[in-house]
Amino acid sequence: MADTGDTAAAERNGDSTFTVLVAAFANLGIAVAKAVAGVISGSSAMLSEAAHSVADTVTEVLLLTSLKRSVRPADEDHPLGHGPERYIWALLAAVATFVGGAVFSLYDGIHTLTHGEDLGDPLVSYIVLAVAFVLEGYSLRTGLRQVRGEAAHHRVSFGRYLRRTPDTAVKAVVMEDSAALAGLLLAAGGLLGGQLSGSGVWDGVASLCIGALLLYVAWVLGRSNAEFLVGRPLPRSVRERIRAELVAVEHIEAVLELTTLVQGPREALVAAKVDFRDVSTAAQIEWACERAEQRLREEFPIVRRVYLDPTPGFAQRRTEGLNPWP
């Protein structure tokens, strides 16, 4: 019989894949349309938006790669699985947003302000912006729906879950689609300002604002993925509950040291130095470890690996003349 935790994890990973796929196809079509509109209208903001969508498309491809490669099972060469690989590809996706979107937008904005531009017919650009807004809105709606569901599942607020979620692929989709909608409004404002004033300054400023927006998104996503690559523990409240679950097991006297490590959106490792009762037999300690692991897996489905190290307590170590701090 399949493990219910594994089944639920597979379903949620499927949700993440669908969310990223929707965003990828939307951005690919939008990128082509924006590029054509930018050439026709001569708008630097539209060209910046085209670069924005190209960067988003590359980002989604990298995120899809991360989703596929990170779910590979553990093997002899990778005994802890491939979960952290997700954050490597997601970090590369943040770099793609920075290089492909932010840098080009800032360059194009500065070039427009210093050299000016010839404004063409903005009608096509307005049409493309309107269609893009609808498509980006649908993609964002898909991402928001998943985030709300995950937040409700973990009984935390939407904002807190989005800030702290280890599922950085969905976080990237929500942030990039939100930035895309804001960028579309900025591009429309630049077009309208240039149309009313006859000056390309408005368009250049809009392009600079889009670049600054993408810089912020790239920084937030890059920092989030870097934290997980370095190693982020489970939240403090969860760690305290894990301690309580361990101490509640018969024959366990105390948890001397607890280490937790998030290895993926639905995968965490727990390692602890545990003080067992001095009168416990070897068999009782072995079964206590089994019961402790079972309790943790049932209470915290995210915990996939549990390692317990029997360690003498402080009093026993002092009695034996050992360092009381293991």
Side-chain angles (χ1 to χ4, degrees):
M1 181 176 180
D3 184 85
T4 55
D6 291 340
T7 302
E11 290 176 352
R12 288 194 288 271
N13 192 71
D15 291 341
S16 298
T17 301
F18 176 73
T19 298
V20 175
L21 277 173
V22 169
F25 283 114
N27 283 317
L28 181 60
I30 292 170
V32 175
K34 286 177 179 176
V36 172
V39 172
I40 293 175
S41 66
S43 168
S44 65
M46 280 302 299
L47 292 176
S48 295
E49 273 298 297
H52 181 176
S53 294
V54 169
D56 284 352
T57 303
V58 173
T59 294
E60 313 310 340
V61 172
L62 292 172
L63 292 178
L64 285 172
T65 302
S66 77
L67 291 173
K68 296 300 181 184
R69 294 183 64 85
S70 64
V71 297
R72 290 179 297 166
D75 53 39
E76 186 176 351
D77 294 327
H78 304 86
L80 297 182
H82 297 77
E85 189 169 348
R86 166 187 299 253
Y87 302 118
I88 296 175
W89 291 96
L91 182 62
L92 293 176
V95 173
T97 299
F98 170 77
V99 176
V103 172
F104 179 85
S105 297
L106 293 172
Y107 166 78
D108 204 42
I110 293 172
H111 183 271
T112 298
L113 291 177
T114 55
H115 294 79
E117 67 179 10
D118 296 325
L119 298 177
D121 185 2
L123 178 59
V124 175
S125 295
Y126 285 128
I127 295 174
V128 170
L129 288 174
V131 173
F133 197 89
V134 173
L135 294 177
E136 294 283 10
Y138 176 76
S139 177
L140 177 60
R141 176 174 172 269
T142 303
L144 291 176
R145 179 185 297 172
Q146 182 177 349
V147 172
R148 290 194 186 99
E150 292 286 340
H153 174 77
H154 293 286
R155 298 191 293 274
V156 297
S157 66
F158 173 87
R160 178 175 175 77
Y161 179 81
L162 188 61
R163 287 193 302 272
R164 303 291 297 175
T165 178
D167 194 346
T168 53
V170 174
K171 181 175 183 176
V173 170
V174 171
M175 289 199 66
E176 289 172 354
D177 285 345
S178 299
L181 291 177
L184 292 172
L185 294 176
L186 288 169
L191 284 171
L192 182 61
Q195 188 179 5
L196 295 176
S197 66
S199 171
V201 171
W202 291 93
D203 208 41
V205 171
S207 186
L208 290 176
C209 290
I210 293 170
L213 183 63
L214 291 177
L215 275 178
Y216 172 75
V217 171
W219 176 72
V220 171
L221 295 178
R223 184 184 62 177
S224 295
N225 287 289
E227 287 179 357
F228 286 109
L229 285 174
V230 172
R232 180 193 284 185
L234 289 169
R236 182 182 300 274
S237 60
V238 176
R239 298 200 300 271
E240 293 303 318
R241 289 169 58 195
I242 288 175
R243 283 181 179 273
E245 287 291 332
L246 290 175
V247 173
V249 175
E250 187 180 5
H251 300 294
I252 292 182
E253 292 288 333
V255 177
L256 306 178
E257 182 179 325
L258 177 66
T259 300
T260 64
L261 179 65
V262 176
Q263 296 182 290
R266 284 156 286 278
E267 185 176 354
L269 176 150
V270 172
K273 289 182 176 292
V274 178
D275 178 21
F276 290 89
R277 291 173 54 194
D278 296 337
V279 296
S280 298
T281 65
Q284 288 173 328
I285 291 176
E286 290 172 352
W287 281 109
C289 290
E290 288 295 313
R291 284 192 291 272
E293 181 173 355
Q294 183 180 5
R295 288 178 67 116
L296 291 182
R297 285 176 173 270
E298 290 176 352
E299 183 66 22
F300 310 97
I302 192 176
V303 174
R304 309 299 292 275
R305 298 177 179 86
V306 179
Y307 302 102
L308 301 181
D309 177 16
T311 305
F314 299 141
Q316 183 180 352
R317 295 181 73 86
R318 280 195 291 267
T319 301
E320 298 293 335
L322 301 174
N323 181 1
W325 299 98

